[in-house]
Amino acid sequence: MELHIDIRWLLERQAEVLPKAPVIHDFSCLVAAIGRHRVNTPRVGAIVDNAWRAATLMHSIIRLRPLPARNALYAAGIAVAYMNATGEGIDAPYGALIDLARDIDAGRTDAYDTADRIRSWRI
């Protein structure tokens, strides 16, 4: 199932993932994440599936930092929630989402690598 989310969906997930989170610092970051997850052909030969869409959401939120703090936790929660909403849950090994978030934040992995990791965790 192909699922395109909107800002309301992201804000509802924020309330679930981070109920006492600070308010959004920059809504344009969320708009950018939404736009990016809707792209059907990011590059020639790229696989565009739910893992790609979850990866772009996670990557965009971590790199753009819409919250003043806790962006990695929010992004990881969004990726998991997105995959669950599409009917493709993930079961990441212990600590794997944290490692992925750190790699994204440090610039060691891009959205394509992020999508590959998410694909490998599908159940």
Side-chain angles (χ1 to χ4, degrees), residues 2 4 9 36 40 50 52 57 66 77 83 85 87 90 95 100 120:
E2 185 174 305
H4 288 158
W9 190 90
R36 190 174 182 204
N40 287 328
N50 291 326
W52 160 256
L57 290 167
M83 291 301 285
I90 59 173
L100 176 56
S120 74

Side-chain angles (χ1 to χ4, degrees), residues 40 42-53 112 115-116 119 122:
N40 287 328
R43 72 176 179 193
V44 176
I47 298 169
V48 177
D49 58 0
N50 291 326
W52 160 256
R53 289 181 178 86
Y112 301 103
D116 287 341
R119 277 186 203 101
R122 281 191 273 206

Side-chain angles (χ1 to χ4, degrees), residues 82-122:
Y82 184 84
M83 291 301 285
N84 285 334
T86 63
E88 294 187 54
I90 59 173
D91 185 20
Y94 181 79
L97 273 169
I98 294 167
D99 292 341
L100 176 56
R102 285 182 182 144
D103 288 346
I104 292 168
D105 193 38
R108 289 188 295 265
T109 192
D110 60 13
Y112 301 103
D113 295 330
T114 302
D116 287 341
R117 288 198 216 178
I118 291 172
R119 277 186 203 101
S120 74
W121 301 330
R122 281 191 273 206

Side-chain angles (χ1 to χ4, degrees), residues 29-41:
C29 298
L30 297 181
V31 172
I34 291 164
R36 190 174 182 204
H37 102 284
R38 292 175 184 242
V39 172
N40 287 328
T41 311

